[in-house]
Coordinates of all heavy atoms in Angstrom, one line a residue:
M1 N -21.1 -22.5 -0.5 CA -21.2 -21.3 -1.3 C -21.5 -21.6 -2.7 O -20.9 -22.4 -3.3 CB -19.8 -20.6 -1.2 CG -19.6 -19.3 -1.9 SD -20.6 -17.9 -1.3 CE -19.9 -17.8 0.3
D2 N -22.4 -20.8 -3.2 CA -22.8 -21.0 -4.6 C -22.0 -20.0 -5.5 O -22.1 -18.8 -5.4 CB -24.3 -20.6 -4.8 CG -24.8 -20.8 -6.2 OD1 -24.0 -21.1 -7.1 OD2 -26.0 -20.6 -6.4
L3 N -21.1 -20.6 -6.3 CA -20.2 -19.8 -7.1 C -20.9 -19.1 -8.2 O -20.5 -18.1 -8.7 CB -19.1 -20.7 -7.6 CG -18.2 -21.3 -6.6 CD1 -17.1 -22.2 -7.3 CD2 -17.6 -20.3 -5.6
D4 N -22.1 -19.6 -8.6 CA -22.9 -18.9 -9.6 C -23.4 -17.6 -9.0 O -23.5 -16.6 -9.7 CB -24.1 -19.8 -10.1 CG -23.7 -20.9 -10.9 OD1 -22.6 -20.8 -11.6 OD2 -24.4 -22.0 -10.9
A5 N -23.8 -17.6 -7.7 CA -24.2 -16.3 -7.1 C -23.1 -15.3 -7.0 O -23.3 -14.1 -7.3 CB -24.7 -16.6 -5.7
F6 N -21.9 -15.8 -6.8 CA -20.7 -14.9 -6.8 C -20.5 -14.4 -8.2 O -20.3 -13.1 -8.3 CB -19.5 -15.7 -6.3 CG -18.2 -14.9 -6.3 CD1 -18.0 -13.8 -5.5 CD2 -17.1 -15.3 -7.1 CE1 -16.9 -13.1 -5.5 CE2 -15.9 -14.6 -7.1 CZ -15.8 -13.5 -6.3
A7 N -20.6 -15.2 -9.2 CA -20.4 -14.7 -10.6 C -21.4 -13.7 -10.9 O -21.1 -12.7 -11.6 CB -20.5 -15.9 -11.5
T8 N -22.7 -13.8 -10.5 CA -23.7 -12.9 -10.7 C -23.4 -11.5 -10.1 O -23.5 -10.5 -10.7 CB -25.1 -13.4 -10.2 OG1 -25.4 -14.6 -10.9 CG2 -26.2 -12.4 -10.4
L9 N -22.9 -11.6 -8.8 CA -22.6 -10.3 -8.2 C -21.4 -9.6 -8.9 O -21.4 -8.4 -9.0 CB -22.2 -10.6 -6.7 CG -23.3 -10.9 -5.8 CD1 -22.8 -11.4 -4.4 CD2 -24.2 -9.7 -5.6
V10 N -20.4 -10.4 -9.3 CA -19.3 -9.8 -10.0 C -19.8 -9.1 -11.3 O -19.4 -8.0 -11.7 CB -18.2 -10.8 -10.3 CG1 -17.2 -10.3 -11.3 CG2 -17.6 -11.3 -9.1
D11 N -20.7 -9.8 -12.1 CA -21.2 -9.3 -13.3 C -22.0 -8.0 -13.0 O -22.0 -7.0 -13.8 CB -22.1 -10.3 -14.0 CG -21.3 -11.4 -14.7 OD1 -20.1 -11.2 -14.9 OD2 -21.9 -12.4 -15.0
E12 N -22.8 -7.9 -11.9 CA -23.5 -6.7 -11.6 C -22.6 -5.5 -11.3 O -23.0 -4.4 -11.5 CB -24.4 -7.0 -10.4 CG -25.6 -8.0 -10.7 CD -26.3 -8.4 -9.4 OE1 -25.9 -8.0 -8.3 OE2 -27.3 -9.1 -9.6
R13 N -21.5 -5.8 -10.8 CA -20.6 -4.7 -10.4 C -19.5 -4.3 -11.5 O -18.9 -3.3 -11.4 CB -19.8 -5.1 -9.1 CG -20.8 -5.1 -7.9 CD -20.1 -5.6 -6.7 NE -21.0 -5.7 -5.6 CZ -20.9 -5.0 -4.4 NH1 -19.8 -4.3 -4.2 NH2 -21.7 -5.2 -3.5
R14 N -19.4 -5.2 -12.4 CA -18.3 -5.0 -13.4 C -18.3 -3.7 -14.1 O -17.3 -3.0 -14.2 CB -18.4 -6.1 -14.5 CG -17.3 -6.0 -15.5 CD -17.4 -7.1 -16.6 NE -17.2 -8.4 -16.1 CZ -16.0 -9.0 -16.0 NH1 -14.9 -8.4 -16.5 NH2 -15.9 -10.3 -15.5
S15 N -19.5 -3.2 -14.6 CA -19.5 -2.0 -15.3 C -19.2 -0.8 -14.4 O -18.5 0.1 -14.8 CB -20.9 -1.8 -16.0 OG -21.9 -1.6 -15.0
G16 N -19.6 -0.8 -13.2 CA -19.2 0.2 -12.2 C -17.7 0.3 -12.0 O -17.1 1.3 -11.9
W17 N -17.1 -0.9 -11.8 CA -15.7 -1.0 -11.6 C -15.0 -0.4 -12.9 O -14.0 0.4 -12.8 CB -15.2 -2.4 -11.4 CG -15.5 -2.9 -10.0 CD1 -15.6 -2.2 -8.8 CD2 -15.8 -4.3 -9.7 NE1 -15.9 -3.1 -7.8 CE2 -16.0 -4.4 -8.3 CE3 -15.8 -5.5 -10.4 CZ2 -16.3 -5.6 -7.7 CZ3 -16.1 -6.7 -9.8 CH2 -16.3 -6.7 -8.4
E18 N -15.4 -0.9 -14.0 CA -14.8 -0.4 -15.3 C -14.9 1.1 -15.5 O -14.1 1.7 -16.1 CB -15.3 -1.2 -16.5 CG -14.8 -2.7 -16.4 CD -15.4 -3.6 -17.4 OE1 -16.4 -3.3 -18.1 OE2 -14.8 -4.7 -17.6
Q19 N -16.1 1.6 -15.1 CA -16.3 3.1 -15.2 C -15.3 3.9 -14.3 O -14.9 5.0 -14.7 CB -17.7 3.5 -14.8 CG -18.7 3.1 -15.8 CD -20.1 3.4 -15.3 OE1 -20.4 3.9 -14.2 NE2 -21.1 3.1 -16.2
H20 N -14.8 3.2 -13.3 CA -13.7 3.9 -12.5 C -12.3 3.5 -13.0 O -11.3 3.8 -12.3 CB -13.8 3.4 -11.0 CG -14.9 4.1 -10.3 ND1 -16.2 3.6 -10.1 CD2 -14.9 5.3 -9.6 CE1 -16.9 4.4 -9.4 NE2 -16.2 5.5 -9.1
G21 N -12.2 2.9 -14.1 CA -10.9 2.6 -14.7 C -10.3 1.3 -14.3 O -9.1 1.1 -14.5
L22 N -11.0 0.5 -13.5 CA -10.4 -0.8 -13.0 C -10.5 -1.8 -14.1 O -11.5 -1.9 -14.9 CB -11.2 -1.2 -11.8 CG -11.3 -0.3 -10.6 CD1 -12.1 -0.9 -9.5 CD2 -9.9 0.1 -10.1
K23 N -9.4 -2.6 -14.2 CA -9.4 -3.8 -15.1 C -9.9 -4.9 -14.3 O -9.4 -5.2 -13.2 CB -8.0 -4.0 -15.6 CG -7.5 -2.9 -16.5 CD -6.1 -3.2 -17.0 CE -5.7 -2.0 -17.9 NZ -4.3 -2.1 -18.3
V24 N -10.9 -5.7 -14.8 CA -11.5 -6.7 -14.1 C -11.3 -8.1 -14.7 O -11.5 -8.2 -15.9 CB -13.1 -6.5 -14.0 CG1 -13.7 -7.6 -13.2 CG2 -13.3 -5.1 -13.4
E25 N -10.9 -9.1 -13.9 CA -10.7 -10.4 -14.4 C -11.4 -11.4 -13.5 O -11.1 -11.4 -12.3 CB -9.2 -10.7 -14.5 CG -8.9 -12.1 -15.0 CD -7.4 -12.3 -15.0 OE1 -6.6 -11.4 -14.9 OE2 -7.0 -13.5 -15.1
Y26 N -12.3 -12.2 -14.0 CA -13.0 -13.2 -13.2 C -12.5 -14.6 -13.6 O -12.3 -14.9 -14.8 CB -14.5 -13.1 -13.5 CG -15.3 -14.2 -12.8 CD1 -15.6 -14.2 -11.5 CD2 -15.7 -15.4 -13.5 CE1 -16.4 -15.2 -10.8 CE2 -16.4 -16.4 -12.9 CZ -16.7 -16.3 -11.6 OH -17.4 -17.3 -11.0
R27 N -12.2 -15.4 -12.6 CA -11.8 -16.8 -12.9 C -12.6 -17.8 -12.0 O -13.0 -17.4 -10.9 CB -10.3 -16.9 -12.5 CG -9.3 -16.1 -13.3 CD -7.9 -16.4 -12.8 NE -7.0 -15.5 -13.5 CZ -5.7 -15.5 -13.3 NH1 -5.2 -16.2 -12.3 NH2 -4.9 -14.7 -14.0
R28 N -12.7 -19.0 -12.6 CA -13.4 -20.0 -11.8 C -12.7 -21.3 -12.0 O -12.3 -21.6 -13.2 CB -14.9 -20.1 -12.3 CG -15.7 -21.1 -11.5 CD -17.1 -20.9 -11.9 NE -18.0 -21.7 -11.1 CZ -19.3 -21.6 -11.0 NH1 -19.9 -20.7 -11.8 NH2 -20.0 -22.4 -10.3
S29 N -12.5 -22.1 -11.0 CA -11.8 -23.4 -11.0 C -12.7 -24.4 -10.5 O -13.0 -24.5 -9.3 CB -10.5 -23.3 -10.2 OG -10.0 -24.7 -10.2
L30 N -13.3 -25.2 -11.4 CA -14.1 -26.4 -11.0 C -13.3 -27.4 -10.2 O -13.8 -28.0 -9.3 CB -14.8 -27.0 -12.2 CG -15.8 -26.1 -12.9 CD1 -16.4 -26.8 -14.1 CD2 -16.9 -25.6 -12.0
E31 N -12.0 -27.5 -10.6 CA -11.1 -28.5 -10.0 C -10.9 -28.2 -8.5 O -10.9 -29.1 -7.7 CB -9.8 -28.5 -10.7 CG -8.8 -29.4 -10.1 CD -7.4 -29.4 -10.9 OE1 -7.4 -28.8 -12.0 OE2 -6.5 -29.9 -10.3
H32 N -10.8 -26.9 -8.2 CA -10.5 -26.5 -6.8 C -11.8 -26.0 -6.1 O -11.7 -25.7 -4.9 CB -9.4 -25.3 -6.8 CG -8.1 -25.8 -7.3 ND1 -7.6 -25.4 -8.5 CD2 -7.2 -26.6 -6.7 CE1 -6.4 -26.0 -8.7 NE2 -6.2 -26.7 -7.6
G33 N -12.9 -25.9 -6.8 CA -14.1 -25.5 -6.2 C -14.0 -24.0 -5.7 O -14.4 -23.7 -4.6
S34 N -13.5 -23.2 -6.6 CA -13.3 -21.8 -6.2 C -13.5 -20.9 -7.4 O -13.5 -21.3 -8.5 CB -11.8 -21.6 -5.7 OG -10.9 -21.8 -6.7
A35 N -13.7 -19.6 -7.0 CA -13.8 -18.5 -8.0 C -13.2 -17.3 -7.4 O -13.1 -17.1 -6.2 CB -15.3 -18.3 -8.4
S36 N -12.7 -16.4 -8.3 CA -12.1 -15.2 -7.9 C -12.3 -14.1 -8.8 O -12.6 -14.3 -10.0 CB -10.6 -15.4 -7.7 OG -9.9 -15.6 -8.9
V37 N -12.3 -12.9 -8.3 CA -12.3 -11.7 -9.1 C -11.1 -10.8 -8.7 O -10.8 -10.6 -7.6 CB -13.6 -10.8 -9.0 CG1 -13.8 -10.4 -7.5 CG2 -13.6 -9.7 -9.9
R38 N -10.3 -10.4 -9.8 CA -9.2 -9.6 -9.6 C -9.4 -8.3 -10.3 O -9.8 -8.2 -11.4 CB -7.9 -10.3 -10.2 CG -6.7 -9.4 -10.0 CD -5.5 -10.0 -10.7 NE -5.1 -11.2 -9.9 CZ -4.1 -12.0 -10.1 NH1 -3.4 -11.8 -11.2 NH2 -3.9 -13.0 -9.4
C39 N -9.3 -7.2 -9.5 CA -9.4 -5.9 -10.1 C -8.1 -5.1 -9.9 O -7.5 -5.1 -8.8 CB -10.6 -5.1 -9.3 SG -12.2 -5.9 -9.6
K40 N -7.8 -4.4 -10.9 CA -6.5 -3.7 -10.9 C -6.7 -2.2 -11.2 O -7.4 -1.9 -12.2 CB -5.6 -4.3 -12.0 CG -4.2 -3.7 -12.0 CD -3.4 -4.5 -13.1 CE -2.0 -3.8 -13.3 NZ -1.2 -4.5 -14.3
A41 N -6.2 -1.4 -10.4 CA -6.2 0.1 -10.6 C -4.8 0.5 -11.0 O -3.9 -0.4 -11.2 CB -6.6 0.8 -9.3
E42 N -4.6 1.7 -11.2 CA -3.2 2.2 -11.6 C -2.1 1.8 -10.6 O -1.1 1.4 -11.0 CB -3.3 3.7 -11.8 CG -2.0 4.3 -12.4 CD -2.0 5.8 -12.6 OE1 -3.1 6.3 -12.8 OE2 -0.9 6.4 -12.5
K43 N -2.4 2.0 -9.3 CA -1.4 1.7 -8.3 C -1.7 0.6 -7.4 O -0.9 0.3 -6.5 CB -1.2 3.0 -7.5 CG -0.6 4.2 -8.4 CD -0.4 5.4 -7.5 CE 0.1 6.5 -8.4 NZ 0.3 7.8 -7.6
K44 N -2.9 0.0 -7.5 CA -3.3 -1.1 -6.6 C -3.9 -2.2 -7.3 O -4.4 -2.1 -8.4 CB -4.3 -0.5 -5.6 CG -3.8 0.6 -4.7 CD -5.0 1.1 -3.8 CE -4.7 2.2 -2.9 NZ -5.8 2.7 -2.2
I45 N -3.9 -3.4 -6.6 CA -4.6 -4.6 -7.1 C -5.3 -5.2 -5.9 O -4.8 -5.2 -4.8 CB -3.6 -5.5 -7.8 CG1 -4.3 -6.6 -8.6 CG2 -2.5 -6.0 -6.9 CD1 -3.5 -7.4 -9.6
A46 N -6.4 -5.8 -6.2 CA -7.1 -6.6 -5.1 C -7.8 -7.8 -5.8 O -8.2 -7.8 -6.9 CB -8.2 -5.7 -4.5
E47 N -7.8 -8.9 -5.0 CA -8.4 -10.1 -5.5 C -9.2 -10.8 -4.4 O -8.7 -11.0 -3.3 CB -7.3 -11.1 -6.0 CG -7.9 -12.4 -6.5 CD -6.9 -13.3 -7.1 OE1 -5.7 -12.9 -7.3 OE2 -7.3 -14.5 -7.4
L48 N -10.4 -11.0 -4.7 CA -11.3 -11.7 -3.7 C -11.5 -13.2 -4.2 O -11.9 -13.4 -5.4 CB -12.7 -11.1 -3.6 CG -13.7 -11.8 -2.7 CD1 -13.2 -11.8 -1.2 CD2 -15.0 -11.1 -2.8
Q49 N -11.2 -14.1 -3.4 CA -11.3 -15.5 -3.8 C -12.3 -16.2 -2.8 O -12.2 -16.0 -1.6 CB -10.0 -16.2 -3.8 CG -10.0 -17.6 -4.3 CD -8.7 -18.2 -4.7 OE1 -7.6 -17.6 -4.4 NE2 -8.7 -19.3 -5.3
V50 N -13.2 -16.9 -3.4 CA -14.2 -17.7 -2.6 C -14.2 -19.1 -3.0 O -13.9 -19.5 -4.1 CB -15.6 -17.1 -2.7 CG1 -15.7 -15.7 -2.2 CG2 -16.1 -17.2 -4.1
W51 N -14.5 -20.0 -2.0 CA -14.5 -21.4 -2.2 C -15.9 -21.9 -1.9 O -16.7 -21.3 -1.2 CB -13.5 -22.1 -1.3 CG -12.1 -22.0 -1.7 CD1 -11.4 -22.8 -2.6 CD2 -11.2 -20.9 -1.4 NE1 -10.1 -22.3 -2.7 CE2 -10.0 -21.1 -2.0 CE3 -11.4 -19.8 -0.6 CZ2 -8.9 -20.3 -1.8 CZ3 -10.3 -18.9 -0.4 CH2 -9.1 -19.2 -1.0
T52 N -16.3 -23.1 -2.5 CA -17.6 -23.7 -2.3 C -17.8 -24.0 -0.8 O -18.9 -24.1 -0.3 CB -17.7 -25.0 -3.1 OG1 -16.6 -25.8 -2.9 CG2 -17.8 -24.6 -4.6
S53 N -16.7 -24.1 -0.1 CA -16.8 -24.4 1.4 C -17.3 -23.2 2.1 O -17.7 -23.3 3.3 CB -15.4 -24.8 1.9 OG -14.5 -23.6 1.9
G54 N -17.3 -22.0 1.5 CA -17.7 -20.8 2.2 C -16.6 -19.9 2.6 O -16.8 -18.8 3.1
A55 N -15.4 -20.4 2.5 CA -14.2 -19.6 2.9 C -14.0 -18.5 1.8 O -14.3 -18.7 0.7 CB -12.9 -20.4 3.0
A56 N -13.5 -17.3 2.3 CA -13.3 -16.2 1.4 C -12.0 -15.5 1.9 O -11.8 -15.3 3.1 CB -14.5 -15.3 1.3
D57 N -11.2 -15.0 1.0 CA -10.0 -14.3 1.3 C -9.9 -13.1 0.3 O -10.1 -13.2 -0.9 CB -8.7 -15.1 1.1 CG -8.7 -16.4 1.9 OD1 -9.3 -16.4 3.0 OD2 -8.1 -17.4 1.5
L58 N -9.5 -11.9 0.9 CA -9.2 -10.7 0.0 C -7.7 -10.4 0.1 O -7.2 -10.1 1.2 CB -10.1 -9.6 0.6 CG -9.8 -8.2 -0.1 CD1 -10.2 -8.3 -1.6 CD2 -10.6 -7.1 0.6
G59 N -7.1 -10.4 -1.0 CA -5.7 -10.1 -1.1 C -5.6 -8.7 -1.7 O -6.2 -8.4 -2.7
T60 N -4.7 -7.8 -1.1 CA -4.5 -6.5 -1.7 C -3.0 -6.2 -1.7 O -2.2 -6.7 -0.9 CB -5.2 -5.4 -0.8 OG1 -4.6 -5.5 0.6 CG2 -6.7 -5.6 -0.7
A61 N -2.6 -5.4 -2.7 CA -1.2 -5.0 -2.8 C -1.1 -3.7 -3.6 O -2.0 -3.3 -4.4 CB -0.5 -6.1 -3.6
R62 N -0.1 -3.0 -3.3 CA 0.3 -1.8 -4.1 C 1.2 -2.1 -5.2 O 2.1 -2.9 -5.0 CB 0.9 -0.8 -3.1 CG 0.0 -0.3 -2.1 CD 0.4 1.0 -1.5 NE 0.5 2.1 -2.5 CZ -0.4 3.0 -2.8 NH1 -1.5 3.0 -2.2 NH2 -0.1 3.9 -3.6
L63 N 1.0 -1.6 -6.4 CA 1.8 -1.8 -7.5 C 2.9 -0.8 -7.7 O 3.9 -1.0 -8.4 CB 0.9 -1.8 -8.8 CG -0.2 -2.8 -8.8 CD1 -1.1 -2.6 -10.0 CD2 0.4 -4.2 -8.9
D64 N 2.8 0.3 -6.9 CA 3.8 1.4 -7.0 C 5.0 1.2 -6.0 O 5.8 2.0 -5.9 CB 3.2 2.7 -6.9 CG 2.4 3.0 -5.7 OD1 2.1 2.0 -5.0 OD2 2.1 4.1 -5.4
V65 N 4.9 0.1 -5.2 CA 6.0 -0.1 -4.3 C 6.6 -1.5 -4.7 O 6.0 -2.5 -4.6 CB 5.4 -0.2 -2.8 CG1 6.5 -0.5 -1.8 CG2 4.7 1.0 -2.5
P66 N 7.9 -1.4 -5.1 CA 8.5 -2.7 -5.5 C 8.6 -3.7 -4.5 O 8.7 -3.4 -3.3 CB 9.9 -2.2 -6.0 CG 10.0 -0.7 -5.8 CD 8.8 -0.3 -5.1
N67 N 8.5 -5.0 -4.9 CA 8.6 -6.1 -4.1 C 7.7 -6.1 -2.8 O 8.1 -6.5 -1.8 CB 10.1 -6.3 -3.6 CG 11.1 -6.3 -4.7 OD1 10.8 -7.0 -5.7 ND2 12.2 -5.6 -4.6
T68 N 6.5 -5.7 -3.0 CA 5.5 -5.7 -2.0 C 4.7 -7.0 -2.0 O 4.1 -7.3 -3.0 CB 4.5 -4.5 -2.1 OG1 5.3 -3.3 -2.1 CG2 3.5 -4.5 -1.0
D69 N 4.7 -7.7 -0.9 CA 3.9 -8.9 -0.8 C 2.5 -8.5 -0.6 O 2.2 -7.5 0.2 CB 4.4 -9.8 0.3 CG 5.7 -10.5 0.0 OD1 6.0 -10.7 -1.2 OD2 6.5 -10.8 1.0
P70 N 1.5 -9.3 -1.1 CA 0.1 -8.9 -0.9 C -0.3 -9.1 0.6 O 0.3 -10.0 1.3 CB -0.7 -9.8 -1.8 CG 0.3 -10.9 -2.2 CD 1.6 -10.4 -2.0
A71 N -1.1 -8.2 1.1 CA -1.7 -8.4 2.4 C -3.0 -9.2 2.2 O -3.8 -9.0 1.3 CB -2.0 -7.1 3.0
W72 N -3.3 -10.1 3.1 CA -4.5 -11.0 3.0 C -5.4 -10.7 4.2 O -5.0 -10.7 5.3 CB -4.1 -12.4 2.9 CG -3.5 -12.8 1.6 CD1 -2.2 -12.9 1.3 CD2 -4.2 -13.1 0.4 NE1 -2.0 -13.2 0.0 CE2 -3.2 -13.3 -0.6 CE3 -5.5 -13.2 0.0 CZ2 -3.5 -13.7 -1.9 CZ3 -5.8 -13.5 -1.3 CH2 -4.9 -13.7 -2.2
H73 N -6.7 -10.5 3.9 CA -7.7 -10.5 4.9 C -8.5 -11.8 4.7 O -9.1 -12.0 3.7 CB -8.7 -9.3 4.7 CG -9.8 -9.3 5.6 ND1 -9.7 -8.8 6.9 CD2 -11.1 -9.7 5.5 CE1 -10.8 -9.0 7.5 NE2 -11.7 -9.5 6.7
L74 N -8.4 -12.6 5.8 CA -9.1 -13.9 5.7 C -10.5 -13.7 6.4 O -10.5 -13.5 7.6 CB -8.2 -14.9 6.5 CG -6.8 -15.0 6.0 CD1 -6.0 -16.1 6.8 CD2 -6.7 -15.3 4.5
Y75 N -11.5 -13.8 5.6 CA -12.9 -13.7 6.2 C -13.3 -14.9 6.9 O -14.2 -14.9 7.7 CB -13.9 -13.4 5.0 CG -13.7 -12.1 4.4 CD1 -13.1 -12.0 3.2 CD2 -14.2 -11.0 5.0 CE1 -12.9 -10.7 2.6 CE2 -14.1 -9.7 4.4 CZ -13.5 -9.6 3.2 OH -13.3 -8.4 2.6
G76 N -12.7 -16.1 6.7 CA -13.1 -17.3 7.3 C -14.3 -17.8 6.5 O -14.5 -17.6 5.3
I77 N -15.3 -18.4 7.2 CA -16.4 -19.0 6.5 C -17.5 -17.9 6.5 O -17.9 -17.3 7.5 CB -17.0 -20.2 7.3 CG1 -15.9 -21.3 7.4 CG2 -18.2 -20.8 6.6 CD1 -15.4 -21.8 6.0
I78 N -18.0 -17.6 5.3 CA -19.1 -16.6 5.1 C -20.3 -17.3 4.4 O -20.2 -18.4 3.9 CB -18.6 -15.4 4.3 CG1 -18.2 -15.9 2.8 CG2 -17.4 -14.7 4.9 CD1 -18.0 -14.7 1.9
S79 N -21.3 -16.5 4.4 CA -22.5 -17.0 3.7 C -22.6 -16.1 2.4 O -22.0 -15.1 2.3 CB -23.8 -16.8 4.5 OG -24.1 -15.5 4.7
E80 N -23.5 -16.5 1.5 CA -23.7 -15.7 0.3 C -24.2 -14.3 0.6 O -23.9 -13.3 -0.1 CB -24.7 -16.4 -0.6 CG -24.2 -17.6 -1.2 CD -25.2 -18.4 -2.0 OE1 -26.2 -17.8 -2.5 OE2 -25.1 -19.6 -2.1
T81 N -24.9 -14.1 1.7 CA -25.3 -12.7 2.1 C -24.1 -11.8 2.5 O -24.3 -10.6 2.5 CB -26.3 -12.8 3.3 OG1 -25.7 -13.4 4.4 CG2 -27.6 -13.5 2.9
N82 N -23.0 -12.4 2.8 CA -21.8 -11.6 3.1 C -21.0 -11.2 1.9 O -20.1 -10.3 2.0 CB -20.8 -12.4 4.0 CG -21.5 -12.7 5.3 OD1 -21.6 -13.9 5.6 ND2 -21.9 -11.8 6.1
L83 N -21.3 -11.8 0.7 CA -20.5 -11.5 -0.5 C -20.5 -10.1 -0.9 O -19.4 -9.5 -1.2 CB -20.9 -12.4 -1.6 CG -20.5 -13.9 -1.6 CD1 -21.1 -14.6 -2.7 CD2 -19.0 -13.9 -1.7
P84 N -21.7 -9.4 -0.8 CA -21.6 -8.0 -1.2 C -20.7 -7.1 -0.3 O -20.0 -6.3 -0.8 CB -23.1 -7.5 -1.1 CG -23.9 -8.8 -1.3 CD -23.0 -9.9 -0.7
D85 N -20.6 -7.4 1.0 CA -19.7 -6.7 1.9 C -18.3 -7.0 1.5 O -17.4 -6.1 1.5 CB -20.0 -7.1 3.3 CG -21.3 -6.6 3.8 OD1 -21.9 -5.7 3.3 OD2 -21.8 -7.3 4.8
C86 N -17.9 -8.2 1.1 CA -16.6 -8.5 0.7 C -16.2 -7.8 -0.6 O -15.1 -7.3 -0.7 CB -16.4 -10.0 0.5 SG -16.7 -11.1 2.0
L87 N -17.1 -7.7 -1.5 CA -16.9 -7.0 -2.7 C -16.8 -5.5 -2.5 O -16.0 -4.8 -3.1 CB -17.9 -7.3 -3.8 CG -17.9 -8.7 -4.3 CD1 -19.1 -9.0 -5.2 CD2 -16.6 -8.9 -5.2
D88 N -17.5 -5.0 -1.5 CA -17.4 -3.6 -1.1 C -16.0 -3.3 -0.5 O -15.4 -2.2 -0.8 CB -18.5 -3.2 0.0 CG -19.9 -3.1 -0.6 OD1 -20.0 -3.1 -1.8 OD2 -20.8 -3.2 0.3
D89 N -15.5 -4.2 0.3 CA -14.1 -4.1 0.8 C -13.1 -4.0 -0.3 O -12.2 -3.1 -0.3 CB -13.8 -5.2 1.7 CG -14.5 -5.2 3.0 OD1 -15.2 -4.2 3.4 OD2 -14.5 -6.3 3.7
L90 N -13.2 -4.8 -1.4 CA -12.4 -4.8 -2.5 C -12.4 -3.4 -3.2 O -11.4 -2.8 -3.5 CB -12.7 -5.9 -3.5 CG -12.0 -6.0 -4.8 CD1 -11.8 -7.5 -5.2 CD2 -12.7 -5.3 -5.9
T91 N -13.7 -3.0 -3.5 CA -13.9 -1.7 -4.1 C -13.3 -0.5 -3.3 O -12.6 0.3 -3.9 CB -15.4 -1.5 -4.4 OG1 -15.9 -2.6 -5.1 CG2 -15.6 -0.2 -5.1
D92 N -13.6 -0.5 -2.0 CA -13.1 0.5 -1.1 C -11.6 0.6 -1.2 O -11.0 1.7 -1.2 CB -13.6 0.3 0.3 CG -15.1 0.6 0.5 OD1 -15.7 1.1 -0.5 OD2 -15.6 0.2 1.5
Y93 N -10.9 -0.5 -1.1 CA -9.5 -0.5 -1.1 C -9.0 0.1 -2.4 O -8.0 1.0 -2.4 CB -8.9 -1.9 -1.0 CG -7.4 -2.0 -1.2 CD1 -6.6 -1.6 -0.2 CD2 -6.9 -2.4 -2.4 CE1 -5.2 -1.6 -0.4 CE2 -5.5 -2.4 -2.6 CZ -4.7 -2.0 -1.6 OH -3.3 -2.0 -1.8
L94 N -9.5 -0.3 -3.6 CA -9.0 0.2 -4.8 C -9.3 1.7 -5.1 O -8.6 2.4 -5.8 CB -9.5 -0.7 -6.0 CG -9.0 -2.1 -6.0 CD1 -9.7 -2.9 -7.0 CD2 -7.5 -2.1 -6.3
L95 N -10.5 2.2 -4.6 CA -10.9 3.5 -5.0 C -10.6 4.5 -3.9 O -10.8 5.7 -4.1 CB -12.4 3.5 -5.3 CG -12.8 2.6 -6.5 CD1 -14.3 2.8 -6.7 CD2 -12.0 3.0 -7.7
T96 N -10.0 4.1 -2.8 CA -9.7 5.0 -1.7 C -8.3 5.6 -2.0 O -7.3 4.8 -2.2 CB -9.8 4.4 -0.3 OG1 -11.1 3.9 -0.1 CG2 -9.4 5.3 0.8
E97 N -8.1 6.9 -1.9 CA -6.8 7.5 -2.1 C -6.0 7.3 -0.8 O -6.6 7.5 0.3 CB -6.9 9.0 -2.4 CG -7.6 9.2 -3.8 CD -6.7 8.8 -4.9 OE1 -5.4 8.9 -4.8 OE2 -7.2 8.3 -5.9
D98 N -4.7 7.0 -0.9 CA -3.9 6.9 0.3 C -3.0 8.2 0.4 O -2.6 8.7 -0.5 CB -3.0 5.7 0.3 CG -3.5 4.5 -0.3 OD1 -4.2 3.8 0.5 OD2 -3.3 4.2 -1.4

């Protein structure tokens, strides 16, 4: 997995997320060979983490429910062509009303 490609996709979506009031934080760890984007809404948070191995995980949690452990969706091994779908899942979770 090319983490630069992931960073580019995050940058392309950042302004759209921020227009919806999401706080966006991108992190990259050369030591662990991973990168993640964490987006926070008023009542929800979601984080997509990808590794150079191609593994990807999406963690989601509600902020308005005390002591809630995050739920994790493990994508397994993905290709760079799957990254937009993973970011769509993150966006859908945060912007969908429950």
Side-chain angles (χ1 to χ4, degrees):
M1 176 70 58
D2 181 357
L3 298 181
D4 290 333
F6 179 63
T8 298
L9 286 172
V10 169
D11 285 342
E12 289 172 357
R13 293 175 181 237
R14 181 183 294 271
S15 66
W17 287 329
E18 290 174 345
Q19 286 177 357
H20 282 95
L22 302 179
K23 294 179 182 176
V24 181
E25 180 181 344
Y26 174 81
R27 294 180 185 176
R28 187 168 182 168
S29 171
L30 296 177
E31 179 182 347
H32 294 107
S34 66
S36 65
V37 61
R38 177 182 291 180
C39 296
K40 183 178 175 184
E42 183 179 335
K43 296 181 181 180
K44 297 178 182 178
I45 190 166
E47 180 174 354
L48 178 64
Q49 186 161 9
V50 298
W51 287 268
T52 54
S53 67
D57 301 331
L58 175 63
T60 59
R62 295 201 55 97
L63 300 172
D64 58 346
V65 180
N67 303 319
T68 302
D69 289 330
W72 288 95
H73 175 79
L74 309 178
Y75 291 101
I77 303 299
I78 64 168
S79 69
E80 289 172 28
T81 58
N82 300 117
L83 283 174
D85 292 336
C86 298
L87 291 169
D88 288 345
D89 291 345
L90 177 146
T91 304
D92 290 346
Y93 173 76
L94 292 171
L95 298 182
T96 301
E97 294 293 324
D98 320 276

